[in-house]
């Protein structure tokens, strides 16, 4: 359907597909550059044909990776400040 790659994620029940377009950001791409909807429909059809119900979430990678968004007590203090003041 046009995905660059598809893989089973870890031990969980997730199958991920990677797609791309000429512009990178899905909101900046022209409709003819995008294959995410076609890939999603193909994955849902394959899931249904195999007897499984699935859901599709379209997202994009972030450059920061995993990070702490809240800590109790905070790591930050008057002397040291961490990203997000956690």
């Amino acid at each position: 359907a046009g995905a660059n790659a598809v893989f089973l994620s870890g031990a969980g029940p997730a199958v991920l597909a990677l797609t791309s377009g000429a512009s990178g950001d899905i909101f900046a791409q022209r409709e003819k550059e995008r294959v995410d909807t076609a890939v999603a429909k193909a994955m849902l059809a394959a899931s249904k044909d195999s007897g499984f119900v699935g859901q599709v979430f379209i997202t994009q990678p972030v450059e920061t990776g995993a990070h702490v968004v809240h800590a109790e007590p905070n790591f930050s203090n008057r002397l040291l400040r961490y990203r997000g003041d956690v």
Side-chain angles (χ1 to χ4, degrees), residues 11-84:
V15 178
L16 287 83
L18 302 177
T19 63
S20 65
S23 303
D25 184 348
I26 64 170
F27 297 108
Q29 294 172 2
R30 292 183 288 277
E31 188 64 33
K32 66 182 180 178
E33 295 176 358
R34 296 183 60 185
V35 296
D36 52 342
T37 301
V39 170
K41 288 179 181 178
M43 291 177 73
L44 287 171
S47 175
K48 184 178 179 183
D49 291 347
S50 298
F52 297 99
V53 176
Q55 292 180 322
V56 173
F57 298 95
I58 296 176
T59 185
Q60 61 189 31
V62 295
E63 295 178 7
T64 58
H67 60 278
V68 176
V69 295
H70 179 77
E72 194 65 42
N74 286 354
F75 292 127
S76 295
N77 56 43
R78 284 187 273 157
L79 180 62
L80 300 170
R81 293 188 67 189
Y82 294 92
R83 176 189 276 193

